[in-house]
Amino acid sequence: TEAIRVADMAHQMGLKANEIIKVLFGLGVMATINQALDFETATLVASEFGYEVEKAGFSEDDYLTPKEVDAPETLKPRPPVVTIMGHVDHGKTSLLDAIRKTNVTGGEAGGITQHIGAYHVKTKRGEIVFLDTPGHEAFTAMRARGAQVTDLVILVVAADDGVMEQTREAINHSRAAGVPIMVAVNKMDKPSADPDRVLRELAELGLQAEEWGGDTIVAKVAAKTRMGLDELLEMVALQSEIMELKANPDKFARGHIVEAKLDKGRGPVATVLIQEGTLRQGDNFVCGPFSGRVRALMSDQGKKVKDAGPSLPVEVQGFEGVPEAGEEFFVVSDEKLARRIADSRAIKQRERDLASESRVTLETFLSQR
Ligand code: GTP
Ligand code: MG
């Protein structure tokens, strides 16, 4: 579907944008100068001025370089991305907090000003990026879009509570995504802790602990007392070394939205997990039906940064609208292309919405007979 903005259309026809807006108004369409018009609407407007619109058949694929396989020599090691999952209140956030406090390098611990749900941690054994997923929303959304952003899942199970509904859900999510699972049996400091019960319940679900002759790595920890945290990090580091994680940092950035919000002062901001390439200030990008230009980048530590490479979470300012969690994010060569892709997506979305609306109406109609 071809899309054209009111301003561009006016320019091409040698008119003032206002003249087009007036005609649109006559057609019952309230439009702004930046509004993208679909083919049918553009045709109607053009005919008012004696023009014909030619369908160019815009396809974003024609403009994007195909996802080619990176040559081996362009690949550089990258930190593992680890998602913390588990039942509500089993201590996911506490565990992350404890890890950050223990391992965040000198002076940075106090500098954490905001919670963005993604943390870049420097440990003795190397860097690790953690994603905290309340309700697994982002993870689920990304999986639904077929995106693989996580290298490893740490399944947190409270030693006093055992395997619960969301523990099972987390296992299913991870398996469906093909992501290896490590277990952290948490709250070991509690007198009511019963790790053997947890191991038994996990074995019943096919996660047999190493100490029981299986191949599931299990760490017994207590976020509260910091017991076992070094061992846990050691296991993550070992596991990721085996995986030999690499990405090409020397190309346009691509990644996924971890979370996004509308900030009162800064407008739409989103945490992007970069998966390949390097994101820089000033880069033009597309994300869902929105285009944008990177106005500012902020690290998980709340510090302004100029760029962000593979595996890093970074807060991006400069979106046209608030994207959805799990949405793909990618940089393109220039602003015009970014807009063009975003416009054509927005129109496709509107067409899909309209189609589903009319279907609902028809169904409602049928069910009323
Ligand atoms: P949701 O994000 O709501 O799913 O919860 P969560 O899994 O992030 O759990 P959270 O870290 O918020 O911890 C829940 C409760 O368990 C809090 O009251 C913590 O203080 C407590 N808690 C977490 N870890 C430990 C631990 O190792 N020992 C003890 N005794 N309590 C813990
Ligand atoms: Mg939490």
Side-chain angles (χ1 to χ4, degrees):
T1 316
E2 176 70 70
I4 186 163
R5 286 192 185 227
V6 170
D8 295 336
M9 191 173 179
H11 182 74
Q12 283 179 24
M13 299 197 305
L15 300 165
K16 288 203 175 89
N18 265 343
E19 299 178 72
I20 289 184
I21 290 172
K22 228 184 265 169
V23 170
L24 281 166
F25 189 76
L27 294 168
V29 180
M30 299 282 271
T32 63
I33 187 160
N34 277 319
Q35 188 128 338
L37 304 178
D38 60 24
F39 180 73
E40 282 70 27
T41 313
T43 305
L44 276 176
V45 173
S47 67
E48 293 277 323
F49 296 99
Y51 282 90
E52 258 178 55
V53 178
E54 205 178 306
K55 206 164 192 168
F58 176 81
S59 163
E60 61 185 68
D61 297 333
D62 297 344
Y63 292 84
L64 299 173
T65 45
K67 259 192 197 167
E68 55 194 55
V69 180
D70 290 294
E73 64 271 17
T74 63
L75 299 175
K76 309 255 164 68
R78 63 170 179 84
V81 178
V82 180
T83 300
I84 313 267
M85 298 178 100
H87 194 69
V88 63
D89 273 356
H90 278 197
K92 300 177 289 292
T93 303
S94 304
L95 199 59
L96 251 178
D97 282 346
I99 289 170
R100 275 159 60 217
K101 275 180 207 128
T102 328
N103 292 285
V104 168
T105 46
E108 285 179 349
I112 299 159
T113 49
Q114 59 198 145
H115 173 94
I116 63 168
Y119 306 97
H120 179 208
V121 173
K122 286 167 189 155
T123 77
K124 288 169 228 147
R125 292 293 304 259
E127 300 177 24
I128 306 173
V129 171
F130 287 102
L131 297 183
D132 188 7
T133 55
H136 329 312
E137 273 165 42
F139 190 85
T140 310
M142 285 187 257
R143 199 164 66 73
R145 290 175 159 89
Q148 176 86 333
V149 293
T150 307
D151 301 306
L152 206 62
V153 162
I154 293 184
L155 181 67
V156 178
V157 188
D160 58 339
D161 216 12
V163 168
M164 302 292 281
E165 194 192 324
Q166 283 172 278
T167 316
R168 286 191 203 93
E169 267 177 40
I171 294 172
N172 292 338
H173 277 312
S174 313
R175 281 189 174 145
V179 181
I181 302 170
M182 273 176 53
V183 175
V185 180
N186 189 32
K187 307 200 186 183
M188 285 295 290
D189 59 303
K190 282 197 160 183
S192 53
D194 185 356
D196 280 347
R197 179 187 144 205
V198 176
L199 293 197
R200 196 171 56 241
E201 290 170 345
L202 287 170
E204 281 165 13
L205 296 172
L207 290 175
Q208 184 99 344
E210 277 185 324
E211 64 179 271
W212 284 17
D215 54 13
T216 300
I217 300 168
V218 177
K220 291 172 187 168
V221 303
K224 200 172 180 179
T225 62
R226 299 195 180 170
M227 166 197 155
L229 293 190
D230 282 342
E231 287 90 333
L232 178 66
L233 293 176
E234 184 94 354
M235 288 169 177
V236 171
L238 274 174
Q239 183 66 34
S240 54
E241 267 170 35
I242 293 168
M243 294 167 102
E244 292 190 46
L245 304 165
K246 287 177 178 170
N248 178 1
D250 300 313
K251 58 181 190 180
F252 285 155
R254 245 177 210 281
H256 282 85
I257 304 295
V258 177
E259 57 184 23
K261 62 177 182 208
L262 188 63
D263 185 280
K264 255 191 181 170
R266 298 179 299 159
V269 289
T271 302
V272 180
L273 186 79
I274 307 296
Q275 288 173 283
E276 55 172 22
T278 299
L279 184 63
R280 299 195 164 80
Q281 220 170 313
D283 277 350
N284 291 291
F285 62 82
V286 178
C287 186
F290 303 119
S291 63
R293 186 193 178 96
V294 179
R295 273 211 306 273
L297 291 173
M298 210 191 273
S299 75
D300 60 314
Q301 313 286 332
K303 284 186 189 148
K304 266 202 159 194
V305 289
K306 285 211 172 68
D307 52 42
S311 292
L312 292 195
V314 69
E315 199 182 68
V316 179
Q317 213 179 310
F319 286 80
E320 253 188 351
V322 183
E324 278 174 43
E327 195 76 74
E328 193 185 16
F329 171 103
F330 58 91
V331 170
V332 294
S333 56
D334 59 88
E335 185 175 345
K336 222 175 168 180
L337 177 56
R339 291 211 152 172
R340 211 160 175 206
I341 295 171
D343 284 351
S344 93
R345 286 179 167 196
I347 283 176
K348 273 188 197 136
Q349 182 61 49
R350 227 175 293 152
E351 281 170 356
R352 271 199 301 272
D353 291 350
L354 279 175
S356 68
E357 250 170 51
S358 51
R359 197 157 50 237
V360 168
T361 318
L362 183 64
E363 275 161 16
T364 320
F365 172 71
L366 289 173
S367 67
Q368 277 170 352
R369 281 168 52 126

